[in-house]
């Protein structure tokens, strides 16, 4: 059920147990006041942006020792005298900030083994709600926590539609000693790189271009906005993404005429040729993969029936079994129409070819027909069809297979699921050799 709930912003940070030194933090060009805790600088930065409210949330994750040392006041002792060091803990520091968002401490295990680490991960995941916008501070805590942050972000994107808006690291060790200023490094690109990795794998392994297209368009928006649409490279990339989406949609939805004339493939190749500077670094190695994936289509001719075989093979390579069977079957009809002087674009002519191809024993069929009767066999050269009995046999086997697919196997002796791809590949190979190679 859809609701009108606004996406919640969520800040998550781990508090360590060290006695942190004071410094100023530079966050997105803004300098904080001197603070011991990077969380104070970060939360003040976001609170003052005007974009956070009481509907949002900040979670500070604490082990028992972190709670004792840094969440509460006076948690540290002087190394030499062992006297208590009088200083505010993070809880009191944040309370004094009057933040726009509520802050909640969350107790976690120390993560001494795999079980405890998985428990921490589950705790983090359970803090998130559907559609949250996640801001993650990985400055403090154990060294495995950045890995947890990246995995959590990716995991939550799929299961809770979470958006990773920001991942930050307060680089205290590399601070400017003269000004005592440390940079908060923005590592959000690492999460974006994970998105690109997933999108690339989905396209290369499954032919699914949607994630590649969406990521491309998302990263192009600010470029096109700043250039007011006048950036030639950005426009070429945008056109490439649109054409790629159109090519995949043609194949996934079995759009036969578009497949044969390869209009969208041609547009895709042209836009790839127009890209001089990709601008989107993770997309660069994908461009050649995209070009290779459509390189077998004939884009020179106005239309080419062979493109149907190319599309069918593309489907098989990308695990689209049902589309492969449908495109291959209709391509065979197109070739038969073309071979016998019928118009493969004409529905009635296709039905004529289809009727003839259904008959395995053409001679037997013709004996029961009046020679003067206008039948499919009187239009198509019967002798030529008998000579190509192998085509008829393969066509009918393929038709039976497609019917099994389209009717969900709800019939006697349905084909086993694992057999479909192998059989279609065999039919594809044999039909191509007979009809195209001759």
């Amino acid at each position: 059920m859809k609701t009108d709930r606004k996406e919640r912003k969520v800040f998550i940070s781990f508090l360590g147990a060290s006695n942190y030194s004071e410094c100023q933090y530079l966050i997105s060009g803004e300098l904080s006041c001197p603070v011991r805790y990077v969380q104070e600088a970060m939360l003040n930065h976001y609170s003052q942006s005007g974009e956070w409210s009481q509907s949002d949330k900040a979670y500070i994750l604490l082990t028992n020792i972190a709670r004792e040392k840094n969440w509460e006041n006076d948690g540290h002792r002087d190394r030499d005298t062992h006297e208590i060091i009088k200083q505010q803990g993070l809880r009191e520091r944040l309370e004094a900030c009057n933040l726009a968002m509520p802050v909640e401490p969350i107790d976690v295990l120390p993560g001494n083994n795999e079980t405890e680490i998985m428990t921490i991960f589950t705790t983090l995941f359970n803090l998130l709600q559907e559609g949250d916008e996640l801001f993650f501070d990985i400055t403090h805590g154990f060294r495995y926590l950045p890995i947890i942050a990246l995995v959590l972000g990716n995991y939550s994107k799929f299961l809770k539609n979470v958006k990773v808006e920001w991942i930050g690291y307060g680089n205290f060790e590399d601070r400017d000693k003269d000004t005592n200023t440390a940079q908060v490094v923005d590592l959000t690109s690492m999460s974006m790189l994970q998105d690109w990795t997933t999108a690339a794998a989905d396209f290369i392994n499954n032919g699914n271009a949607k994630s590649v297209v969406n990521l491309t368009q998302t990263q192009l928006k600010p470029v096109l906005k700043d250039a007011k649409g006048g950036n030639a490279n950005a426009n070429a990339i945008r056109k490439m993404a649109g054409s790629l989406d159109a090519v995949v949609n043609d194949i996934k939805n079995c759009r036969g005429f578009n497949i044969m004339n390869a209009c969208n493939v041609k547009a895709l190749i042209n836009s790839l040729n127009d890209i001089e500077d990709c601008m989107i670094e993770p997309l660069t190695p994908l461009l050649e993969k995209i070009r290779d994936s459509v390189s077998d289509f004939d884009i020179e001719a106005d239309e080419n029936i062979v493109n149907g075989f190319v599309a069918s093979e593309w489907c098989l390579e990308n695990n689209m079994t049902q589309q492969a069977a449908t495109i291959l079957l209709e391509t065979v009809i197109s070739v038969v129409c073309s071979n016998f002087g019928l118009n493969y674009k004409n529905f009635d002519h296709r039905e004529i070819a289809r009727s003839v191809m259904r008959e395995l024993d053409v001679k037997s069929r013709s004996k029961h027909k009046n020679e003067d009767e206008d039948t499919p066999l009187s239009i198509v050269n019967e002798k030529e069809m008998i000579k190509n009995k192998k085509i008829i046999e393969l066509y009918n086997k393929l038709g039976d297979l497609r019917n099994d697919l389209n009717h969900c196997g709800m019939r006697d002796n349905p084909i086993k699921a694992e057999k479909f791809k192998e059989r279609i590949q065999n039919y594809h190979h044999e039909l191509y050799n007979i009809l195209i190679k001759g």
Side-chain angles (χ1 to χ4, degrees), residues 26-92:
L26 188 63
I27 309 173
S28 301
E30 295 184 5
L31 193 62
S32 76
C33 62
V35 294
R36 287 183 59 237
Y37 301 105
V38 69
Q39 294 92 343
E40 181 181 350
M42 291 174 175
L43 287 172
N44 261 318
H45 170 78
Y46 285 118
S47 181
Q48 293 168 14
S49 70
E51 297 178 0
W52 290 64
S53 71
Q54 287 295 305
S55 299
D56 302 314
K57 197 80 170 185
Y59 294 108
I60 308 297
L61 278 70
L62 314 165
T63 60
N64 287 338
I65 190 169
R67 178 181 283 276
E68 176 191 339
K69 296 290 187 182
N70 281 322
W71 182 248
E72 303 298 346
N73 294 345
D74 309 332
H76 293 276
R77 292 177 179 268
D78 186 276
R79 289 183 178 180
D80 298 323
T81 66
H82 301 292
E83 295 285 330
I84 292 174
I85 302 172
K86 302 294 290 184
Q87 57 191 7
Q88 288 179 304
L90 181 58
R91 176 179 63 80
E92 197 166 287

Side-chain angles (χ1 to χ4, degrees), residues 173-407:
E173 293 79 6
D174 196 39
R175 68 193 180 283
D176 185 319
K177 302 295 194 303
D178 294 331
T179 62
N180 198 29
T181 300
Q183 179 78 37
V184 172
V185 182
D186 189 341
L187 298 173
T188 316
S189 59
M190 295 299 99
S191 177
M192 181 65 75
L193 190 56
Q194 278 191 319
D195 292 341
W196 276 105
T197 301
T198 302
D202 203 16
F203 175 71
I204 293 168
N205 297 328
N206 303 307
N208 186 357
K210 188 58 68 178
S211 295
V212 171
V213 171
N214 289 343
L215 284 170
T216 300
Q217 292 174 341
T218 298
Q219 294 203 13
L220 282 178
K221 278 181 182 178
V223 178
L224 289 168
K225 183 178 179 181
D226 290 344
K228 297 181 179 179
N231 188 307
N233 270 313
N235 278 316
I237 297 169
R238 179 180 57 80
K239 289 178 182 177
M240 181 279 299
S243 297
L244 176 62
D245 198 30
V247 168
V248 174
N249 279 333
D250 281 344
I251 297 174
K252 285 172 66 175
N253 295 293
C254 304
R255 299 298 85 195
F257 294 146
N258 283 354
I259 289 170
M260 287 185 187
N261 64 39
C263 54
N264 287 316
V265 175
K266 190 178 297 184
L268 174 60
I269 296 297
N270 288 339
S271 60
L272 284 167
N273 292 338
D274 289 340
I275 297 173
E276 295 179 359
D277 176 11
C278 181
M279 304 166 58
I280 303 174
E281 191 170 341
L283 179 61
T284 303
L286 262 178
L287 295 180
E288 280 309 307
K289 293 286 186 183
I290 291 169
R291 187 188 297 274
D292 289 345
S293 73
V294 297
S295 61
D296 289 336
F297 284 92
D298 178 9
I299 61 172
E300 300 301 325
D302 290 338
E303 59 188 28
N304 190 338
I305 292 174
V306 176
N307 284 335
F309 284 99
V310 176
S312 176
E313 187 170 8
W314 192 94
C315 290
L316 288 169
E317 290 173 354
N318 291 284
N319 301 307
M320 299 180 191
T321 308
Q322 192 160 8
Q323 290 93 333
T326 298
I327 293 171
L328 181 57
L329 194 71
E330 295 304 320
T331 300
V332 171
I333 292 298
S334 296
V335 175
V336 170
C337 283
S338 181
N339 286 351
F340 298 113
L342 301 173
N343 181 1
Y344 71 81
K345 295 182 179 180
N346 182 291
F347 178 79
D348 291 334
H349 284 200
R350 294 185 71 84
E351 284 302 294
I352 290 167
R354 213 182 304 275
S355 296
V356 173
M357 295 294 285
R358 289 193 192 104
E359 293 296 333
L360 289 173
D361 190 347
V362 181
K363 287 185 176 181
S364 173
R365 177 187 172 95
S366 64
K367 287 177 182 177
H368 298 287
K369 295 289 182 179
N370 187 307
E371 291 183 0
D372 297 327
E373 186 178 349
D374 187 17
T375 68
L377 290 174
S378 67
I379 298 173
V380 178
N381 187 317
E382 180 185 345
K383 291 181 180 178
E384 192 67 28
M385 288 306 300
I386 294 170
K387 189 176 75 174
N388 289 289
K389 204 166 185 178
K390 183 63 175 176
I391 299 173
I392 303 171
E393 177 188 343
L394 289 168
Y395 173 84
N396 281 281
K397 285 181 178 179
L398 181 61
D400 184 63
L401 184 148
R402 184 177 72 164
N403 289 339
D404 195 319
L405 277 168
N406 288 353
H407 295 290

